[in-house]
Amino acid sequence: TSIDTNNELTAKMNRAILVSKGTKNWKIYGKAHVGDTIYTKSEIVDKIDNKPTRGVIVTQMSILNQKGEVLQS
């Protein structure tokens, strides 16, 4: 599934991201090879409302290949 970059919600999210707090526990399980198709998968696993108009979301992200094998997470 591809992301519709003309989608109103996507546009709002792109304007709303202020900063990245970093990456923790990133692991490499396999390699991508020339000719592979890779995909990213993101899941929101927590949110912290620390201000009335702002907050922090915690995501679990993975990179997968065309076979669905997790290469990095």
Side-chain angles (χ1 to χ4, degrees), residues 7-65:
N7 179 293
E8 184 179 341
L9 178 59
T10 302
K12 285 181 182 179
M13 288 176 63
N14 285 338
R15 288 190 305 268
I17 297 172
L18 299 176
V19 68
S20 170
K21 292 182 81 173
T23 303
K24 293 182 182 178
N25 304 320
W26 192 257
K27 295 183 179 161
I28 298 173
Y29 300 103
K31 297 178 183 179
H33 302 282
V34 174
D36 281 357
T37 301
I38 59 171
Y39 303 91
T40 59
K41 177 180 171 185
S42 297
E43 177 184 359
I44 296 173
V45 295
D46 195 10
K47 81 175 176 129
I48 305 158
D49 295 321
N50 58 357
K51 293 185 179 181
T53 59
R54 295 189 183 130
V56 175
I57 60 169
V58 178
T59 59
Q60 171 63 46
M61 298 181 70
S62 301
I63 299 174
L64 301 95
N65 65 12

